Amino acid sequence: SKAAALSTEASTVSFTIPSEMKAWTYTEYGGIDVLKLESDVVVPEIGEDQVLIRVAAAALNPVDFKRRQGKFKATDSPLPTVPGYDVAGVVVRVGSQVKQFKEGDEVYGDISEKALEGPKQFGSLAEYTAVEEKLLALKPNNLDFAQAASLPLAIETAYEGLQRAAFSDGKSILVLGGAGGVGSLVIQLAKQVFGASRVAATSSTGKLSFIQSLGADEAIDYTERSFEETPEKFDVVYDAVGQGERAVKALKEGGVAVFLTGAVASPGFRFVVTSNGETLKKLNPYLEKGKIKPVIDPKGPFPFDRVNEAFSYLETNRATGKVVIFPIP
């Protein structure tokens, strides 16, 4: 298998790096049709604080298609763009100031520190990508590359939102969009890491048992009833879908809502994650003990030559967990 081959090569710690690589690119903003698979993209150079990763797997996030549509033009990196934030792969070259990693290490991370402010021009949907050491962590031993690639941006977003909301032991939380990439991890983190007393989450009818399997004490079918009418209110509402005014109606007195998208209602706030390898390192023990599990949509992983299909699927907003690209190339 590709993963086994990468691990075998990692043990020999001897890498031949080509000058050109396969990568998905776009030279203009627009729909899925602007994406092109190129075979002659220059392999990126690394800075002294960076490593070069031979990419084994990547994952897609809503920010990827919103960026491609030109919604963040004002702060985007220059075109042409190789999209992709999430990566898992093998370190094949290290910069002169890199201390934590060596050639052959299996790593994962979100490669752009700020998702919207000058994100990487050359992302993870490529055979190689360059990334700062501080954004990466060693891949958990029990996860394969596809599972590891599904995590970084979503788990860092889930964790940072809970931290910013001052979520802590004994508090209650309602997760809107519990079956999605971020929501599925908020449920698990709230329960396993932060010590929630009660976790409720919303989903469509067919995903209720799934969100219960992640640890939700109460699964609310949003097609059948309004979550804000739940008699017992919550300390935190984590809104991953953009419900604004409805979300804050489910809060207790003194509670707070976390918004990832859509209008912000009071008392609540919206934030964009800051990528940080230290968060991944902190969460690795929970992943390695199986207390937090990656969730890959059952339609995937999508092979590298079907990235456009993966984007089409992601843009339906029907994915369960994460849409993963594996193997690469």
Side-chain angles (χ1 to χ4, degrees):
S1 74
K2 166 92 172 179
L6 276 169
S7 293
T8 302
E9 186 169 339
S11 67
T12 66
V13 195
S14 175
F15 299 98
T16 303
I17 301 164
S19 58
E20 295 182 337
M21 64 179 181
K22 290 180 184 171
W24 284 87
T25 69
Y26 53 89
T27 56
E28 59 183 320
Y29 295 114
I32 287 159
D33 57 323
V34 302
L35 286 163
K36 301 284 185 286
L37 179 54
E38 309 280 0
S39 58
D40 56 355
V41 176
V42 174
V43 172
E45 296 290 324
I46 57 167
E48 59 184 18
D49 64 338
Q50 292 183 318
V51 301
L52 186 68
I53 297 173
R54 194 168 92 186
V55 181
L60 303 186
N61 294 279
V63 68
D64 285 298
F65 70 76
K66 291 176 183 177
R67 182 184 174 198
R68 191 202 68 229
Q69 290 166 347
K71 295 191 173 170
F72 313 120
K73 276 184 198 175
T75 56
D76 203 356
S77 56
L79 294 167
T81 296
V82 173
Y85 290 80
D86 287 324
V87 72
V90 175
V91 173
V92 293
R93 184 178 284 161
V94 296
S96 59
Q97 299 301 310
V98 171
K99 295 182 173 61
Q100 298 177 65
F101 304 114
K102 63 186 184 305
E103 291 179 11
D105 282 345
E106 297 180 355
V107 295
Y108 75 129
D110 165 8
I111 70 168
S112 286
E113 186 170 17
K114 299 284 188 183
L116 309 182
E117 298 167 30
K120 290 275 193 312
Q121 183 177 4
F122 298 100
S124 59
L125 290 172
E127 291 184 272
Y128 294 88
T129 195
V131 58
E132 290 77 15
E133 169 184 40
K134 68 179 180 179
L135 305 183
L136 297 169
L138 290 171
K139 178 177 74 63
N141 296 324
N142 59 324
L143 302 186
D144 62 28
F145 285 115
Q147 291 170 320
S150 76
L151 287 164
L153 191 146
I155 204 168
E156 290 179 40
T157 300
Y159 185 84
E160 187 176 333
L162 288 166
Q163 271 200 319
R164 284 172 176 253
F167 194 71
S168 59
D169 194 35
K171 289 188 175 181
S172 61
I173 188 168
L174 170 63
V175 184
L176 305 183
V182 174
S184 61
L185 290 162
V186 175
I187 293 169
Q188 296 183 75
L189 290 174
K191 201 82 170 181
Q192 297 293 339
V193 179
F194 288 84
S197 61
R198 173 173 164 244
V199 177
T202 65
S203 77
S204 57
T205 314
K207 296 178 181 177
L208 295 172
S209 59
F210 168 68
I211 59 175
Q212 287 173 313
S213 76
L214 296 176
D217 303 299
E218 183 182 0
I220 300 169
D221 184 343
Y222 66 73
T223 70
E224 294 288 328
R225 65 185 174 109
S226 298
F227 63 80
E228 64 267 41
E229 290 166 12
T230 305
E232 201 177 337
K233 303 303 183 189
F234 299 88
D235 294 301
V236 171
V237 175
Y238 200 122
D239 179 5
V241 291
Q243 295 287 344
E245 295 291 342
R246 290 181 62 200
V248 295
K249 289 178 182 170
L251 286 171
K252 286 180 181 176
E253 187 75 31
V256 65
V258 183
F259 298 101
L260 297 184
T261 187
V264 174
S266 183
F269 64 90
R270 181 166 56 210
F271 78 102
V272 178
V273 68
T274 300
S275 174
N276 183 355
E278 290 302 316
T279 300
L280 298 177
K281 288 175 200 167
K282 196 180 295 180
L283 296 175
N284 270 359
Y286 295 92
L287 291 157
E288 289 179 339
K289 289 173 187 164
K291 291 188 171 184
I292 302 170
K293 295 181 171 67
V295 181
I296 296 177
D297 186 273
K299 285 192 188 295
F302 289 79
F304 191 56
D305 61 359
R306 288 174 53 204
V307 162
N308 47 1
E309 291 175 48
F311 266 109
S312 291
Y313 177 56
L314 180 69
E315 291 174 46
T316 67
N317 293 318
R318 292 189 187 132
T320 301
K322 292 300 293 293
V323 175
V324 172
I325 310 302
F326 175 84
I328 295 175

